[in-house]
Amino acid sequence: NIKPEAMLAPYLFVQEGTLDNTKRSFRSDAKIQASSEIVTLAKEHGLPVAEVDKGVLNTLCGSRPHQGFVLRCGGLDFEPMRSIPSAVGDDAKSNPLVWLALDEVVDPQNLGALLRSIYFLGGGERVGVIVTKKNSSPLSPAVSAASSGALEFMTVYSTSNLPKTLNNAKDNGWRVLGAAAEVPGSTDTRRDSTGANDNDWDIGGEDDGATHTQQRQELQQQCYDLYDVETNKPTILVLGSEGKGLR
């Protein structure tokens, strides 16, 4: 006979003793009830359940924390998207008002945490997610765990050319904003009311008043304080990678 853990079909593997209600000395009633609900739900959906040794669970999940349960199921992948739906016209009402564009976010914990927040804010219906096809964390079990399961209820889209996708979106009525902790090029955290400081326009030691003023005006047009951003406009918020930030 083929061992259950060697089968390729979907399977729920449960650590031996997890369902033993007599071991109340170290397992609370709440944990026993939760374990029972998980198994009942699996059986209601026709999912086979097998009790296995803890070592088997460790192998199945790559020695990551499993809390006595490992579900083997089909993998998830990005849904390709050639362009973000237009923000104007009759169809716009049925599309998300906000999109989160993730530019090469490679850490599965970061991606999972972002998806968890997006789902809480209405992911899918109110907030869409699009990532770069290359140099992004795959939709792995680690991402699903970090998202607290939110990934299982969401569609994550991908694009092979994010700059082109964003430029097309701007032509279709979207406002594109990039999130940054501070004004690019700055080394000084002391800022005026515009979010700027003098170091942002330091160009080689000589103070050209006209150039200085022009650069200040251009930067003021491009940078906004978070609290000054209008929230009623169709918006794409771009987050850069962990290492390089926004391109």
Side-chain angles (χ1 to χ4, degrees):
N1 295 333
I2 300 177
K3 294 182 179 180
E5 58 268 27
M7 297 174 62
L8 299 179
Y11 232 99
L12 177 65
F13 300 102
V14 183
Q15 184 174 326
E16 291 177 336
T18 299
L19 306 179
D20 189 349
N21 293 348
T22 63
K23 296 185 178 182
R24 296 177 180 269
S25 58
F26 64 92
R27 299 183 68 241
S28 65
D29 290 342
K31 289 185 177 180
I32 293 174
Q33 181 179 355
S35 299
S36 178
E37 290 178 355
I38 292 174
V39 173
T40 300
L41 187 62
K43 292 180 178 179
E44 288 178 353
H45 287 78
L47 185 65
V49 179
E51 288 194 67
V52 297
D53 181 80
K54 182 179 180 179
V56 173
L57 296 184
N58 292 341
T59 300
L60 288 171
C61 68
S63 296
R64 294 188 300 271
H66 51 67
Q67 299 180 317
F69 291 88
V70 172
L71 174 64
R72 184 173 60 200
C73 56
L76 297 175
D77 204 352
F78 302 120
E79 184 72 23
M81 174 178 279
R82 301 188 64 178
S83 62
I84 294 176
S86 177
V88 296
D90 296 336
D91 295 337
K93 296 180 179 179
S94 60
N95 296 324
L97 184 62
V98 176
W99 280 83
L100 184 65
L102 304 179
D103 187 12
E104 300 185 350
V105 173
V106 298
D107 190 310
Q109 300 296 325
N110 289 340
L111 179 56
L114 288 168
L115 295 179
R116 183 178 68 236
S117 298
I118 293 168
Y119 184 77
F120 173 79
L121 296 172
E125 296 181 0
R126 299 176 59 186
V127 184
V129 189
I130 188 168
V131 305
T132 51
K133 184 177 180 180
K134 294 183 178 180
N135 300 325
S136 290
S137 169
L139 300 181
S140 64
V143 172
S144 183
S147 75
S148 298
L151 171 61
E152 310 300 324
F153 299 91
M154 301 175 61
T155 300
V156 181
Y157 297 92
S158 69
T159 175
S160 58
N161 191 331
L162 184 60
K164 181 179 179 180
T165 299
L166 295 178
N167 285 329
N168 290 340
K170 290 172 65 176
D171 295 336
N172 289 326
W174 288 96
R175 174 182 60 177
V176 179
L177 298 178
E182 58 184 27
V183 176
S186 170
T187 58
D188 191 347
T189 58
R190 294 172 296 176
R191 303 189 173 279
D192 59 25
S193 59
T194 68
N197 66 37
D198 289 339
N199 288 342
D200 292 328
W201 302 278
D202 186 358
I203 51 173
E206 295 186 4
D207 185 7
D208 185 332
T211 303
H212 183 100
T213 301
Q214 180 180 357
Q215 290 180 336
R216 177 182 288 273
Q217 291 175 345
E218 291 177 353
L219 195 56
Q220 287 177 344
Q221 293 176 351
Q222 297 176 15
C223 299
Y224 305 88
D225 188 279
L226 177 63
Y227 297 102
D228 295 333
V229 176
E230 297 181 44
T231 58
N232 60 346
K233 293 184 177 181
T235 300
I236 301 174
L237 179 62
V238 185
L239 295 185
S241 65
E242 295 89 347
K244 299 180 180 179
L246 293 174
R247 286 192 269 178

